[in-house]
Amino acid sequence: MIELNWAVLINTALAVLGLLALCLWLAPLAPVFDLFRHAWPLWVIAALTVLVVTVGTGHWREAGLCALLLVAIILPARGEIAASLWRESMLPDGDRLTLVTHNLWGKGDERAEDIAQILTAGTPDLIALQEARGGGLAVAAALAAAYPYAADCGDGPTRLLSRHPFLRTGCLDGWKPAHRLPGLRVMPAAWGEIAMPDGQRVVVVAIHLPWPEPLNDQAGAIEALAALFESFEADRLIVLGDFNAAPPAHIHERMTRRWGLQRRTFGLASWPSQSLTRAFGLPRLPLPTMLAGIDHVYAGSAWQTLSVRVLPDTGSDHRPVQARLILRDGANP
């Protein structure tokens, strides 16, 4: 029988955890290190597992080092964790807007009506869809009666549906980036402008960002969107969709800085959905996945957050996200 050499295994695991912690802290310096932040929950699980093993086998010195490494892994997410726990208590008067975003993953078909019912819970004003193709087209069709106004980039997979008439619509076309993994592309972004009850105009943009750098041209998409947003009133702008960016990835700070918007989605595990984890036989781990959301809502300073939540599983690899925002009275016209 082969006996486990716990000392060798534990020391090897600690060395790997040390390298992971270093990569997390180097994330602001290079996108390749930021890739590790997107997978932050996995490293927390790994560090906790090693800590349990070191304590269970009586390696107390190694357990102390592992605890320090666990803290080093958690600290880059300290701001995200704090924001996840904090909720606004006093809200101003103003017009309210409810929005939903969902990556359909091409799913729908025979469940289209059920999925549409999930997305329309709470009667959202606008619904942003990503990967509305294949079976997802049936979902878009099921929503058409209640949401007859669409900005869809020529019936593309990224679209914005509205219960209210659009004053104008537009599209930022997608493209195939050079020097990236073959077959990947940057998806289009669809936008529409609506009038609030008090007459103020607001622009809502539905996006589907590509995979993070250096896997795809996410930075290029962020810059292209920044150029588009310059023609809109930033304080009343809303951007939502599949960002392919999981906090505490540093790329979120870049978005906030370049777009002049604030993220409103904290502590929402929108990905992977239970349907995806079940398909691969993986367990659902709610605690470490509290930062695993890649579906987000960004909004300008005129908006305050009333509530943000994930909706029930639809069979996609994402869960829908619903946000209710308030346009403060007296916001700049």
Side-chain angles (χ1 to χ4, degrees):
M1 180 180 293
I2 299 175
E3 294 186 4
L4 291 177
N5 190 328
W6 287 110
V8 172
L9 289 175
I10 289 172
N11 287 329
T12 301
L14 291 176
V16 172
L17 289 178
L19 288 175
L20 288 172
L22 179 61
C23 290
L24 294 177
W25 283 94
L26 292 177
L29 301 181
V32 67
F33 295 121
D34 205 23
L35 285 176
F36 291 91
R37 287 205 181 188
H38 291 280
W40 180 87
L42 297 180
W43 317 139
V44 174
I45 295 171
L48 286 170
T49 301
V50 175
L51 182 59
V52 169
V53 170
T54 55
V55 171
T57 56
H59 290 75
W60 301 108
R61 182 173 64 86
E62 290 80 359
L65 178 57
C66 186
L68 291 176
L69 289 174
L70 177 59
V71 172
I73 290 172
I74 291 175
L75 278 178
R78 60 192 182 280
E80 190 74 24
I81 295 172
S84 301
L85 299 175
W86 181 81
R87 293 291 183 269
E88 295 181 76
S89 57
M90 297 184 63
L91 295 169
D93 293 329
D95 293 329
R96 301 187 178 193
L97 196 67
T98 302
L99 310 100
V100 167
T101 180
H102 188 36
N103 185 324
L104 293 167
W105 201 29
K107 302 293 184 180
D109 297 330
E110 69 280 356
R111 292 200 60 224
E113 293 293 340
D114 293 336
I115 295 172
Q117 188 172 5
I118 291 173
L119 299 182
T120 56
T123 318
D125 299 281
L126 298 108
I127 298 176
L129 299 177
Q130 304 87 47
E131 297 197 45
R133 54 192 170 198
L137 292 174
V139 178
L143 293 167
Y147 295 82
Y149 308 101
D152 58 12
C153 296
D155 205 28
T158 303
R159 58 185 68 188
L160 182 67
L161 310 179
S162 175
R163 293 195 298 118
H164 315 291
F166 284 122
L167 303 175
R168 55 180 180 139
T169 61
C171 179
L172 176 65
D173 291 330
W175 68 88
K176 285 189 177 181
H179 312 300
R180 296 296 186 273
L181 294 178
L184 298 182
R185 65 189 300 267
V186 175
M187 303 301 290
W191 63 268
E193 183 180 49
I194 63 171
M196 300 295 287
D198 65 356
Q200 293 194 77
R201 296 186 171 193
V202 299
V203 173
V204 180
V205 186
I207 70 172
H208 186 180
L209 287 181
W211 290 356
E213 300 276 345
L215 302 178
N216 205 344
D217 195 14
Q218 190 172 82
I222 291 171
E223 293 303 314
L225 287 165
L228 172 68
F229 297 164
E230 289 178 357
S231 60
F232 305 138
E233 295 289 340
D235 63 332
R236 283 174 284 131
L237 178 63
I238 300 173
V239 181
L240 73 167
D242 177 359
F243 282 60
N244 273 313
H250 184 73
I251 194 69
H252 279 293
E253 296 184 27
R254 180 172 184 173
M255 294 180 211
T256 297
R257 182 176 65 254
R258 290 294 292 122
W259 297 347
L261 307 174
Q262 297 85 44
R263 181 159 51 97
R264 309 307 175 94
T265 38
F266 297 93
L268 297 178
S270 64
W271 185 93
S273 69
Q274 189 172 359
S275 292
L276 182 63
T277 56
R278 186 168 54 241
F280 286 92
L282 300 174
R284 186 68 175 170
L285 300 170
L287 178 61
T289 60
M290 66 178 292
L291 303 185
I294 62 176
D295 304 275
H296 297 288
V297 177
Y298 275 70
S301 58
W303 296 98
Q304 277 195 249
T305 306
L306 179 60
S307 65
V308 183
R309 65 189 182 106
V310 290
L311 299 179
D313 201 326
T314 66
S316 170
D317 60 334
H318 296 244
R319 289 178 64 184
V321 171
Q322 181 195 82
R324 299 171 63 209
L325 307 178
I326 298 176
L327 184 63
R328 295 178 299 176
D329 284 343
N332 294 331

